[in-house]
Amino acid sequence: MRPPRRPRLLAAFLLTPLLTGCFASPGDGDSGEAADGKDGARLRVALAFPPVENLSPYGADATILSRLGVTEGLTALDANGAAAPALASSWRRENDRSWLFTLREAVFQDGTEVTPAAVVTALIGAGRAEPVPAALTGVTLTAEARGATGVRITTAEPDPVLPLRLASPGLAVLAPKAYEEKGAVDPVGTATGPFELTEVTGTTAAALDRFDDHWGGRAQASGIDARFIADGTARANALRTGQIDLAEAIPVAQAATLDAGSRRETATTRTTSLLLNTRSGVFKDASLRAAARAAVDTGVLADGVHEGHADPGAGIYGPAVTWAGAKRVTPVGRVEAGKPEGASITLATYDNRPELPEVAQVLKQQLENAGFVVRLEVRAYARLESDALAGTFDAFVGARNSLLDTGDPVSLLASDFTCDGGYNLALLCDKDVDRAVERARAVADTGKRQDAALAAEAVILGTDAVVPLVHQRVITGVAASVGGVLLDPYERTLVGTGTRR
């Protein structure tokens, strides 16, 4: 075991509070050293979203840490969306509220062992975070160490999908020293993944070195140089000119500029939606929400803006959620569309995903044709999220991965559309919605839970608080020299032990 290493920070950044053959869990497939026994080259990676929360493991930044191979949880999602072993090698349900997880032998990047006590500290920290991680929305859990390798996790109410929940990037397990500073959690040198953060330069770049003691084996790449490039054209140009090896979220307008061999298109569980502010302003009126929904032509967005690299919106869950199409039911409770008569609204979106401003521009035209007066506001996501959650805008266009937080379709509904939801951009508080989601959360059987989720989806869609626009296919730019990229439909992973150049 190597001695702990002091990380080098270039900025005071942390002081404040597959459905494809490449998709695999850590330790699977072609991990380890390069075939010739030598260290692999460093990977140069461009990510679309800069950190917005000081790389906190609890919020949006948790996905950055997961995609770069820094953090891991007790479980992971496999290619079929089921819970798979990660830091926990196995688990069993003891009763309707209690589960016992058995830990594998692993070490943190600071050289300390992954112990039951350390896992308990991590889970307690997540439960006390403000805001709470999306995976814990509406869930209260306690954890206790059981012997040398056991962790018992108990929930206040029965939670049949707890192993899926624990796979969330927001429930990563870090070393105890990560939680020592009150009000902040430091992932630098305290995680368990195959790559360790060593340098962070504000919101523009980060450097990672290979973690040689990873339980799944040594990564083939010796490290990662990550750049956060919000502009999609700039990401594509950097790949095309050889400045980077791997670029996420290539804009559809730039896809044709890359060699066919450098493009990887992956169907994802991400849906772009129009979310309408139900708490205040014009769209507090359900009939005007219905008018906005009726004004939208999703086919234009899929075929025009996305140039065929997306499917027209069918619901909250898209085609990549393979069971949803056959089970979907008609929305219930919709009211008749009213007349906008020049009602003035502010429509907001962000430019980190380059299609979104164009989608919003087309929506603006469609809404204006229906009689609304629309002011469009576009910002970087980091400067937009807090205002959106506060209800500053009348309407918001965003892209959301329906299975990112937990892998459980019901958890998304609880987080995004219930009165107490932590990511409720529509500010929806509807008793019928809350009851439908609660009914779904109580169902343990997989097939029946899916049925209940779609019944709740029908109630949510009936409020017209959300208008699904398109279901995205993500284009990843991959240099010809790079192999082993994790093309993950859940968008939780990108590089792993087998990623190399």
Side-chain angles (χ1 to χ4, degrees), residues 189-255:
T190 61
T192 61
F195 295 101
E196 175 185 354
L197 275 172
T198 57
E199 294 181 348
V200 179
T201 308
T203 59
T204 61
L208 303 89
D209 286 347
R210 179 173 55 205
F211 175 46
D212 289 342
D213 293 325
H214 183 245
W215 58 268
R218 296 174 72 233
Q220 292 195 23
S222 59
I224 299 172
D225 295 311
R227 295 166 58 189
F228 303 107
I229 305 174
D231 183 84
T233 300
R235 288 196 302 279
N237 287 340
L239 180 73
R240 190 168 52 250
T241 58
Q243 299 175 54
I244 60 172
D245 307 305
L246 183 61
E248 68 172 4
I250 295 294
V252 294
Q254 295 295 317

Side-chain angles (χ1 to χ4, degrees), residues 136-154:
L136 293 183
T137 298
V139 176
T140 301
L141 58 78
T142 58
E144 60 177 327
R146 302 297 297 175
T149 61
V151 177
R152 174 174 291 141
I153 301 176
T154 303

Side-chain angles (χ1 to χ4, degrees), residues 95-118:
N95 54 56
D96 65 346
R97 297 191 302 113
S98 180
W99 300 71
L100 184 64
F101 291 80
T102 300
L103 303 182
R104 69 172 70 251
E105 186 176 344
V107 294
F108 292 108
Q109 293 163 353
D110 66 355
T112 61
E113 294 185 0
V114 177
T115 64

Side-chain angles (χ1 to χ4, degrees), residues 21 85 93 103 134 382 392 466 487:
R93 194 173 190 180
L103 303 182
T392 300
V466 55
L487 302 176

Side-chain angles (χ1 to χ4, degrees), residues 172-184:
V173 175
L174 304 179
K177 80 171 188 179
Y179 308 95
E180 290 177 353
E181 184 177 341
K182 186 176 181 181

Side-chain angles (χ1 to χ4, degrees), residues 188-439:
V188 177
T190 61
T192 61
F195 295 101
E196 175 185 354
L197 275 172
T198 57
E199 294 181 348
V200 179
T201 308
T203 59
T204 61
L208 303 89
D209 286 347
R210 179 173 55 205
F211 175 46
D212 289 342
D213 293 325
H214 183 245
W215 58 268
R218 296 174 72 233
Q220 292 195 23
S222 59
I224 299 172
D225 295 311
R227 295 166 58 189
F228 303 107
I229 305 174
D231 183 84
T233 300
R235 288 196 302 279
N237 287 340
L239 180 73
R240 190 168 52 250
T241 58
Q243 299 175 54
I244 60 172
D245 307 305
L246 183 61
E248 68 172 4
I250 295 294
V252 294
Q254 295 295 317
T257 69
L258 301 179
D259 294 336
S262 298
R263 301 192 301 266
R264 307 285 191 278
E265 183 169 312
T266 309
T268 73
T269 54
R270 180 173 296 277
T271 296
T272 297
S273 299
L274 173 65
L275 294 137
L276 304 177
N277 182 346
T278 63
R279 188 174 69 185
S280 61
V282 169
F283 292 123
K284 188 174 181 179
D285 183 338
S287 71
L288 292 182
R289 297 199 300 271
R293 183 252 309 157
V296 175
D297 185 339
T298 59
V300 170
L301 301 174
D303 296 333
V305 177
H306 285 269
E307 300 180 13
H309 297 285
D311 299 294
I316 294 171
Y317 314 106
V321 185
T322 54
W323 50 263
K327 293 173 176 281
R328 180 163 284 117
V329 295
T330 302
V332 297
R334 278 180 169 164
V335 303
E336 185 177 347
K339 296 182 178 180
E341 297 180 338
S344 181
I345 62 173
T346 299
L347 173 65
T349 193
Y350 46 97
D351 56 10
N352 305 74
R353 294 189 178 276
E355 292 81 12
L356 293 185
E358 189 175 351
V359 166
Q361 185 63 51
V362 173
L363 280 177
K364 178 178 185 292
Q365 296 170 3
Q366 293 179 350
L367 292 168
E368 288 177 339
N369 290 340
F372 292 96
V373 175
V374 184
R375 183 176 71 88
L376 181 59
E377 186 162 337
V378 180
R379 307 180 195 166
Y381 185 82
R383 298 179 53 246
L384 195 71
E385 182 186 66
S386 60
D387 281 346
L389 288 168
T392 300
F393 312 115
D394 298 294
F396 182 85
V397 177
R400 179 83 157 120
N401 191 315
S402 61
L403 297 181
L404 174 65
D405 294 325
T406 65
D408 170 39
V410 180
S411 297
L412 169 87
L413 304 183
S415 171
D416 289 21
F417 301 108
T418 64
C419 294
D420 296 328
Y423 197 67
N424 188 350
L425 292 169
L427 302 170
L428 181 64
C429 189
D430 183 288
K431 62 182 181 181
D432 292 332
V433 168
D434 280 20
R435 280 196 292 262
V437 172
E438 277 304 307
R439 284 194 293 270

